[in-house]
C-alpha cells in the first residue's frame, strides 16, 4: 500500500478503523469518510500520532452529492485515488 491513496467509508471505528490502521502501517495514505465527527477526529489523530498519513471528512455516504464532492476534494488534494 506504500504511497497509495485509499478512501475508507465508515473508517472512524470498527472494521473501517482496522483497515485504515493496516493500510497506514504499510505506508498508505488513508482518507476516512464517516458520519460521527467526534469519533472521526479522534481516529484521525490516533493514526497521525502513529506517524500514518491520515485525514478525515464527515460524509453521509447515502447522499451521492456528498460522496461526489468529497471524492473531488480527495482527488484535488492527493492527485489521485488508488
Amino acid at each position: 500500500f506504500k504511497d497509495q491513496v485509499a478512501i475508507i467509508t465508515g473508517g472512524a471505528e470498527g472494521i473501517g478503523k482496522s483497515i485504515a490502521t493496516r493500510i497506514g502501517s504499510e505506508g498508505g495514505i488513508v482518507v476516512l469518510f464517516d458520519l460521527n465527527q467526534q469519533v472521526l477526529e479522534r481516529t484521525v489523530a490516533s493514526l497521525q500520532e502513529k506517524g500514518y498519513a491520515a485525514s478525515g471528512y464527515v460524509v453521509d455516504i447515502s447522499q451521492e452529492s456528498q460522496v461526489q464532492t468529497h471524492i473531488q476534494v480527495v482527488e484535488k488534494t492527493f492527485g489521485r485515488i488508488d
Side-chain angles (χ1 to χ4, degrees), residues 17-64:
K17 181 178 178 181
S18 295
I19 292 168
T21 301
R22 176 65 183 265
I23 292 172
S25 74
E26 294 186 18
I29 300 162
V30 293
V31 182
L32 310 182
F33 287 2
D34 204 281
L35 281 174
N36 189 327
Q37 182 173 1
Q38 186 176 20
V39 177
L40 178 63
E41 289 172 357
R42 214 171 27 238
T43 299
V44 169
S46 173
L47 293 168
Q48 290 173 342
E49 286 171 7
K50 293 177 182 180
Y52 305 157
S55 59
Y57 299 95
V58 176
V59 179
D60 180 351
I61 64 165
S62 72
Q63 301 299 314
E64 185 176 350

